[in-house]
Amino acid sequence: MPDLTPNIGAHVSIEKSSLQQVLDVLKTMGYSLVGPTLGEGAIVYDDIDGIDDLPRGWTDRQDAATYQLQKRGDDSYFGYVVGPQSWKKYLYPPSYRLGTVERKNGSYSSTPNDEEAPRYALIGVRACELKAITIQDNVFLGGDYQAPCYKSRRQSAFVLAVNCTEPGGTCFCTSMDAGPQVGPGFDLALTELDDVFVVEIGSDIARHVMSEIPWQPSGAFELQAARRAIASAETRMGRQLDTSDLPDLLYNNLDHPRWDDVAQRCLSCTNCTLVCPTCFCSDVLEISDLTGQKVDRVRVWDSCFSLEFSHVHGGNIRPATRSRYRQWLTHKFASWIDQFGSSGCVGCGRCITWCPVGIDVTEEVAAIRMEGPQQ
């Protein structure tokens, strides 16, 4: 019999209810499903069992320091923007035991953490988030020294991406060339239409998944509808960021008075770095048991906004909020490019939505540009 499995790069259409079969196949392959669901007054990423756990019929309205869940007037499964969490909590967990040192019989033994990586199927990855994952790939896997925990989790993950047709009030992914259409790196990419999902096949393992699902080649009408939906999303971004003169604009304005202005508003609460899908600052803690015979070495998320993060031998190199905010923003839009070859921002807008005082990176960069270089 001929092989009727869709090829990589093919577009096929499935009934919306067939998404449950896709998830069931992934579960039989040993994947743990994690995806968007309602929780804590937001759309969060958590364990899911099937399509009934998805935020069907819900959306989220966002602006600076504003997030609100709302009911939609339809039954869209992916008709929301992005929630407060990103996928890095699964690939680069907030707390991870690197290893253990134990004292026995007067000597010490060291045991690295060799736990098997969980096999996550990431359900509903947006274009900006997939771009963020590729940026973290470069950070953790692109150099001479690779992060074993990240590497094993990344290699084990299945990415079911979703083209964005619902940009939010703080989104500017088009400015950062990160959306709304998903780029390379997905296994399956969905575009949600009224009656069907248009599915693009991105990998051999995705071909295997689709071999178990009833599908039909997408017709011209469906493909055109999918293209229109994505094109419409491109025109409805809530924010814009001119990147044409970055990073020079920031490098030439390290003493700009705008840094003092934003420092008056910034709380150094670290929210922006915790919700950011690309921030990767960390610390390593030594945690002893009560007997003092065993110590776990644990890596935890940290933030360049934390005062102690910049404490080095001889003192703190960024003791003021002004210098810490400047470091964060110039790293995102300037020195990240020098360091890794791309910007560290994907325009997801989380740092704007979840800043408790509504500091907006697009507004800060625009203000520096408008006021001109400082002499």
Side-chain angles (χ1 to χ4, degrees):
M1 290 181 60
D3 182 3
L4 299 180
T5 305
N7 292 320
I8 293 175
H11 290 79
V12 302
S13 296
I14 63 172
E15 298 293 329
K16 283 194 171 183
S17 59
S18 296
L19 180 58
Q20 180 62 54
Q21 293 175 262
V22 173
L23 302 185
D24 288 340
V25 171
L26 290 170
K27 285 192 288 187
T28 62
M29 294 171 68
Y31 288 102
S32 299
L33 305 182
V34 290
T37 191
L38 296 175
E40 303 181 46
I43 294 173
V44 299
Y45 295 145
D46 206 342
D47 296 342
I48 62 172
D49 189 54
I51 60 174
D52 289 341
D53 293 326
L54 298 175
R56 188 178 186 183
W58 287 90
T59 190
D60 44 5
R61 301 302 177 197
Q62 303 188 32
D63 208 330
T66 301
Y67 180 94
Q68 184 179 33
L69 277 180
Q70 290 184 355
K71 288 286 289 185
R72 293 175 58 92
D74 57 32
D75 289 330
S76 294
Y77 286 97
F78 300 100
Y80 57 90
V81 188
V82 291
Q85 302 161 326
S86 69
W87 300 102
K88 75 177 180 182
K89 73 171 187 172
Y90 294 104
L91 302 176
Y92 181 63
S95 176
Y96 181 78
R97 183 175 63 83
L98 299 171
T100 300
V101 176
E102 192 167 9
R103 182 165 65 181
K104 285 183 178 178
N105 302 322
S107 63
Y108 295 90
S109 62
S110 177
T111 308
N113 184 350
D114 58 357
E115 295 174 357
E116 186 175 353
R119 300 187 71 206
Y120 289 124
L122 311 180
I123 309 300
V125 178
R126 296 296 194 192
C128 57
E129 299 180 307
L130 184 57
K131 182 67 175 290
I133 291 173
T134 63
I135 289 174
Q136 287 212 320
D137 286 349
N138 194 28
V139 171
F140 294 122
L141 307 177
D144 293 335
Y145 302 97
Q146 299 184 338
C149 167
Y150 183 88
K151 183 177 183 179
S152 58
R153 287 171 177 245
R154 184 71 177 93
Q155 291 177 336
S156 301
F158 183 96
V159 176
L160 191 156
V162 177
N163 287 309
C164 179
T165 58
E166 194 69 34
T170 58
C171 290
F172 57 103
C173 68
T174 54
S175 299
M176 306 310 300
D177 194 26
Q181 184 168 12
V182 297
F186 61 84
D187 292 293
L188 289 174
L190 311 183
T191 305
E192 184 169 15
L193 303 181
D194 289 341
D195 301 322
V196 299
F197 288 114
V198 173
V199 184
E200 183 178 0
I201 317 301
S203 68
D204 284 327
I205 195 168
R207 293 187 69 228
H208 173 74
V209 173
M210 293 306 297
S211 70
E212 305 290 325
I213 310 299
W215 57 269
Q216 60 182 8
S218 296
F221 176 81
E222 294 165 333
L223 293 174
Q224 180 65 16
R227 283 194 290 267
R228 280 201 303 265
I230 297 170
S232 173
E234 289 180 0
T235 66
R236 292 184 284 115
M237 295 288 147
R239 298 289 198 276
Q240 300 286 332
L241 179 67
D242 180 1
T243 62
S244 61
D245 53 358
L246 298 176
D248 289 344
L249 176 71
L250 298 175
Y251 284 152
N252 292 334
N253 286 281
L254 296 179
D255 294 320
H256 198 285
R258 188 71 183 186
W259 303 119
D260 295 312
D261 179 86
V262 71
Q264 294 296 317
R265 292 173 280 135
C266 178
L267 304 177
S268 280
C269 67
T270 76
N271 259 19
C272 52
T273 55
L274 295 179
V275 299
C276 176
T278 65
C279 279
F280 59 87
C281 289
S282 65
D283 194 4
V284 175
L285 307 178
E286 308 280 358
I287 302 175
S288 172
D289 68 0
L290 293 177
T291 68
Q293 302 300 306
K294 187 172 73 172
V295 172
D296 286 334
R297 171 164 281 197
V298 181
R299 188 203 61 216
V300 296
W301 286 0
D302 204 341
S303 170
C304 56
F305 278 91
S306 298
L307 180 61
E308 288 303 309
F309 185 79
S310 302
H311 193 96
V312 297
H313 177 71
N316 196 305
I317 59 174
R318 289 190 284 269
T321 299
R322 175 186 187 276
S323 57
R324 294 199 291 277
Y325 187 88
R326 184 182 62 184
Q327 150 65 24
W328 176 71
L329 192 139
T330 54
H331 190 211
K332 283 292 176 191
F333 295 106
S335 54
W336 197 303
I337 298 171
D338 299 331
Q339 192 175 6
F340 299 110
S342 70
S343 171
C345 177
V346 296
C348 69
R350 285 186 175 96
C351 61
I352 305 172
T353 299
W354 297 97
C355 174
V357 295
I359 294 173
D360 181 340
V361 290
T362 66
E363 183 180 302
E364 299 308 318
V365 173
I368 291 173
R369 178 180 295 109
M370 184 174 295
E371 296 171 19
Q374 301 299 296
Q375 302 299 321

